[in-house]
Amino acid sequence: MNLTTTSYAILGHLALQPWTMYDLAQQMRSNVHFFFSRAESQVYAEPKRLVGYGLASASRQMIGKRARTVYAITADGRRELDRWLAEPEAAKGPNLEFEALLRVFLSPLGKPEHLVETLEQVRDNLSEMFEAADRVGGAYREGTAAFQHHVLTRSMVYDFLVSFADLADEWAERSAARARRWPDQSEAERIDEAMRIFSEKPTRLRRRQ
Amino acid sequence: MNLTTTSYAILGHLALQPWTMYDLAQQMRSNVHFFFSRAESQVYAEPKRLVGYGLASASRQMIGKRARTVYAITADGRRELDRWLAEPEAAKGPNLEFEALLRVFLSPLGKPEHLVETLEQVRDNLSEMFEAADRVGGAYREGTAAFQHHVLTRSMVYDFLVSFADLADEWAERSAARARRWPDQSEAERIDEAMRIFSEKPTRLRRRQ
DNA sequence: CCCGTTTACTCCGGATCGGAGTAAATATAT
DNA sequence: ATATATTTACTCCGATCCGGAGTAAACGGG
């Protein structure tokens, strides 16, 4: 029984209520998508393994001649989930994958205007995240969210995601502005501005010590 | 010739200078690791494919009876890289994977004290990121960085990473503080505080409109 | 000269992706 | 009333990617 974090993510959702994987795939696309996204094929494959381990049960229903499978958590599954919830997270911080940052990193190899384009693209790409956050926030504000009683913890998740999207947007904005000033600046001015970022932006770690 | 973003990441590094994959794996661990991390086995596998496509060249050297392979970019590789640098990023924003946030999301299924533990763990796990940022920042401030002439763009990457780590640290701090207050609050007070997050933290999208 | 660390990789089983495909049920337009 | 589009509810599969274990020579310190 080799369970991955994906297993526990699915198992956790089954503990909230029974789901068809079609519905759960949708649910996950609009909820955990921005901090724990999995391919649809995985969302369909995972509960079969859980059933194999006796952690979930499947009930096949018929709508006309079309089948649908509803999965639910078992008592064993609930115990396994409790065990996972109680164990500390592996010492393995947030894992970020950000192609735009790689492009910025490698941008001295290309033309300067492509850097500005990349940064503008970053801002465009964030709108999806902003819209998703607004949908969730709106539902909770209106009191119509599917899991309204989870408002305490969902507000924490919302807090993080909005802060993150804002950060990325603000960073792309100020960085693009900086790159656009470069043609009118001397190299000394450009370097001076860059060095100020290293000096005036100490990490929290250093600030505390 | 099916090149992935991983291919261009390696190709880009080879455009900076020739590398052995051992050195490049180390370089990537301390540089792009926090926004584009790849398994070591991939870093070793990728240049072989690049050589197969004629985008890189390998030169095998002998140190005693031990072999080492130094990879360099070819003219074709440089052209392919230029093409990639000029093309816009796929419309696919930052991809975050954050197990702690999944645990917060599912925390109503577990005990309240585990939420606080998860959030404290988040802060501990960030120290690696802070230390890496400090190392890079220190090298550039002292003028001893290996790619000191990339200071303009590296400062942008540094800016993002430090902002991100600070954000995660501050979020975990304020969220843990909130969860610790819960036992002394009424349910109405707790919900009120949660709702204020949804209201008082509008996304940049909504603020602009 | 012995031993632990660093250099420089290879191997492989299993997890995951992502796009294509299937087929029935339902909504929509004509 | 019928054709068409969309939604529901999945399966399949080749390729990518992970990550931990293993190998073996060179180097450095006591």
Side-chain angles (χ1 to χ4, degrees), chain A:
Chain A
M1 187 158 72
N2 233 350
L3 300 183
T4 65
T5 309
T6 309
S7 313
Y8 292 107
I10 302 280
L11 199 57
H13 276 87
L14 294 183
L16 298 175
Q17 65 168 62
W19 297 91
T20 67
M21 284 310 113
Y22 180 81
D23 288 335
L24 186 50
Q26 276 199 314
Q27 176 74 7
M28 289 179 77
R29 242 202 315 283
S30 60
N31 276 323
V32 301
H33 175 70
F34 289 101
F35 56 89
F36 196 81
S37 89
R38 287 295 176 262
E40 213 176 301
S41 57
Q42 284 314 300
V43 179
Y44 278 100
E46 200 52 52
K48 297 187 174 177
R49 308 176 64 210
L50 296 177
V51 170
Y53 296 137
L55 305 178
S57 64
S59 86
R60 207 168 172 76
Q61 304 172 352
M62 279 299 176
I63 299 180
K65 54 174 77 174
R66 199 159 85 243
R68 51 182 275 155
T69 311
V70 178
Y71 293 92
I73 196 167
T74 62
D76 274 5
R78 190 57 232 218
R79 261 191 299 279
E80 181 60 30
L81 180 63
D82 286 342
R83 222 193 35 66
W84 182 76
L85 287 167
E87 102 192 356
E89 196 204 350
K92 174 205 153 200
N95 195 340
L96 185 66
E97 189 155 335
F98 199 178
E99 189 187 315
L101 219 45
L102 178 67
R103 284 177 180 273
V104 172
F105 189 89
L106 295 177
S107 64
L109 296 165
K111 301 213 183 114
E113 60 264 33
H114 295 142
L115 171 60
V116 176
E117 279 163 32
T118 295
L119 293 167
E120 280 164 356
Q121 182 73 46
V122 167
R123 304 193 69 194
D124 288 348
N125 289 347
L126 286 169
S127 59
E128 212 188 326
M129 207 166 165
F130 280 130
E131 281 155 24
D134 279 341
R135 268 196 305 277
V136 171
Y140 276 96
R141 273 194 305 276
E142 289 163 24
T144 61
F147 294 93
Q148 189 75 30
H149 57 296
H150 285 184
V151 67
L152 300 189
T153 50
R154 297 281 171 109
S155 64
M156 283 181 182
V157 175
Y158 174 87
D159 182 5
F160 184 89
L161 291 179
V162 170
S163 302
F164 176 75
D166 277 358
L167 155 67
D169 195 45
E170 282 159 17
W171 169 80
E173 191 179 33
R174 69 174 171 266
S175 299
R178 195 145 83 81
R180 272 190 285 259
R181 278 199 302 276
W182 287 346
D184 305 320
Q185 287 176 314
S186 71
E187 182 67 2
E189 282 174 315
R190 289 192 284 261
I191 291 176
D192 202 58
E193 216 175 328
M195 294 305 278
R196 265 204 304 273
I197 288 178
F198 288 117
S199 313
E200 289 170 14
K201 203 172 179 62
T203 65
R204 289 203 106 205
L205 189 76
R206 281 198 290 125
R207 261 182 273 142
R208 266 193 251 125
Q209 280 163 357

Side-chain angles (χ1 to χ4, degrees), chain B residues 179-186 189-190:
Chain B
R180 272 190 285 260
R181 278 198 303 275
W182 286 346
D184 305 319
Q185 287 177 312
S186 71
E189 281 175 316
R190 288 193 284 261

Side-chain angles (χ1 to χ4, degrees), chain B:
Chain B
M1 185 159 73
N2 233 350
L3 299 183
T4 66
T5 309
T6 309
S7 313
Y8 293 107
I10 302 280
L11 199 56
H13 276 87
L14 294 183
L16 298 175
Q17 64 168 64
W19 297 91
T20 67
M21 285 308 115
Y22 180 81
D23 288 336
L24 186 50
Q26 277 200 313
Q27 175 73 8
M28 290 179 77
R29 243 202 315 284
S30 61
N31 277 323
V32 302
H33 175 72
F34 290 101
F35 55 89
F36 196 82
S37 90
R38 288 294 176 263
E40 212 175 303
S41 56
Q42 285 313 302
V43 179
Y44 278 99
E46 200 52 52
K48 296 187 176 180
R49 306 177 64 210
L50 295 177
V51 170
Y53 296 137
L55 305 177
S57 64
S59 84
R60 207 167 173 75
Q61 303 172 353
M62 280 298 177
I63 300 181
K65 54 176 76 173
R66 194 150 95 241
R68 52 182 274 154
T69 311
V70 178
Y71 292 93
I73 196 167
T74 62
D76 273 6
R78 190 57 232 217
R79 261 191 300 278
E80 181 59 30
L81 180 64
D82 285 342
R83 223 192 34 67
W84 182 76
L85 286 167
E87 102 191 356
E89 195 205 352
K92 173 204 154 203
N95 195 342
L96 185 67
E97 189 156 335
F98 199 177
E99 188 187 316
L101 219 44
L102 177 68
R103 285 177 179 272
V104 172
F105 189 89
L106 296 176
S107 63
L109 296 165
K111 302 216 181 110
E113 61 264 34
H114 295 142
L115 171 59
V116 176
E117 279 163 32
T118 295
L119 292 168
E120 280 165 355
Q121 182 72 46
V122 166
R123 304 192 68 194
D124 287 348
N125 290 347
L126 286 169
S127 58
E128 213 187 324
M129 207 167 164
F130 281 128
E131 280 156 25
D134 279 341
R135 268 197 303 278
V136 171
Y140 275 97
R141 273 195 305 276
E142 288 164 27
T144 60
F147 295 93
Q148 189 75 30
H149 57 297
H150 285 183
V151 67
L152 300 189
T153 50
R154 297 283 170 108
S155 64
M156 285 182 181
V157 175
Y158 173 88
D159 182 5
F160 184 89
L161 291 178
V162 170
S163 302
F164 175 75
D166 278 357
L167 155 67
D169 195 44
E170 283 159 15
W171 169 80
E173 193 178 31
R174 68 174 172 265
S175 299
R178 196 145 83 82
R180 272 190 285 260
R181 278 198 303 275
W182 286 346
D184 305 319
Q185 287 177 312
S186 71
E187 181 66 3
E189 281 175 316
R190 288 193 284 261
I191 290 176
D192 202 58
E193 216 175 328
M195 295 305 278
R196 264 205 304 274
I197 287 178
F198 288 118
S199 313
E200 289 170 14
K201 205 174 177 62
T203 64
R204 290 203 107 205
L205 189 75
R206 282 197 289 125
R207 262 181 273 143
R208 265 194 251 126
Q209 281 163 355

